[in-house]
Amino acid sequence: MRIADVLRRKGDSVATVGPSATVAEVIGDLAVGNYGALPVVEDGRLVGIVSERDVVRRLHERGPDLLLVRVAEIMTVDVVTCSPTDSAVDLSRVMTERRVRHVPVVVEGELRGIVSIGDLVKARIDTLEEEREQLASYIAG
């Protein structure tokens, strides 16, 4: 299974945030959209990612004044990305090794979607269920 298959099942729409948004705005977006992370996009290009983990860790370090800080100050700039042609299994390994839960899907610098570890698990379970149904149907004749 490729990442393109995961996006086909999940959808390729992705919420983003700009680097000049405040942390308070990002917290609102994360909460309202029930997102774990948001890609940070500027002039159509991925420049970082900000996650719940980023916010919580910086909040612990800096206190409530963090809410007024710009996303650019707390975002992760060394973003793990993938392409639609990447293997879902390979990406699962990378996500586990790098300890990331969300990976933007990028083609020639353009954001095409985002995949979470939960999306990959769901896709794998769906595939196994489809295979089980096909085998049961074959056996039943």
Side-chain angles (χ1 to χ4, degrees):
M1 176 181 298
R2 300 281 171 212
I3 297 304
D5 301 319
V6 175
L7 288 179
R8 250 191 307 284
R9 292 174 184 216
K10 168 194 172 158
D12 60 1
S13 67
V14 56
T16 64
V17 66
S20 63
T22 66
V23 172
E25 292 169 324
V26 167
I27 290 172
D29 291 345
L30 291 169
V32 170
N34 196 30
Y35 306 123
L38 291 171
V40 182
V41 175
E42 184 173 43
D43 298 326
R45 296 299 230 194
L46 180 70
V47 295
I49 191 166
V50 62
S51 68
E52 294 168 325
R53 185 185 296 175
D54 293 323
V55 172
V56 169
R57 288 182 177 168
R58 296 327 179 292
L59 190 57
H60 174 73
E61 294 167 1
R62 297 173 66 170
D65 290 341
L66 181 75
L67 298 176
L68 304 175
V69 169
R70 301 285 172 209
V71 168
E73 292 183 44
I74 70 161
M75 69 185 185
T76 300
V77 294
D78 182 23
V79 182
V80 176
T81 64
C82 67
S83 77
T85 58
D86 289 343
S87 158
V89 171
D90 290 345
L91 182 59
S92 296
R93 284 189 191 106
V94 169
M95 291 173 82
T96 300
E97 290 167 3
R98 300 280 306 265
R99 300 182 55 88
V100 296
R101 298 179 193 148
H102 302 87
V103 176
V105 182
V106 177
V107 176
E108 295 179 8
E110 184 180 319
L111 183 64
R112 295 288 176 89
I114 190 165
V115 177
S116 73
I117 194 72
D119 296 330
L120 296 178
V121 169
K122 182 182 181 322
R124 183 65 180 139
I125 290 170
D126 290 348
T127 299
L128 290 172
E129 182 61 24
E130 289 168 9
E131 290 173 0
R132 186 197 65 76
E133 288 173 5
Q134 289 173 356
L135 286 171
S137 176
Y138 176 76
I139 291 169

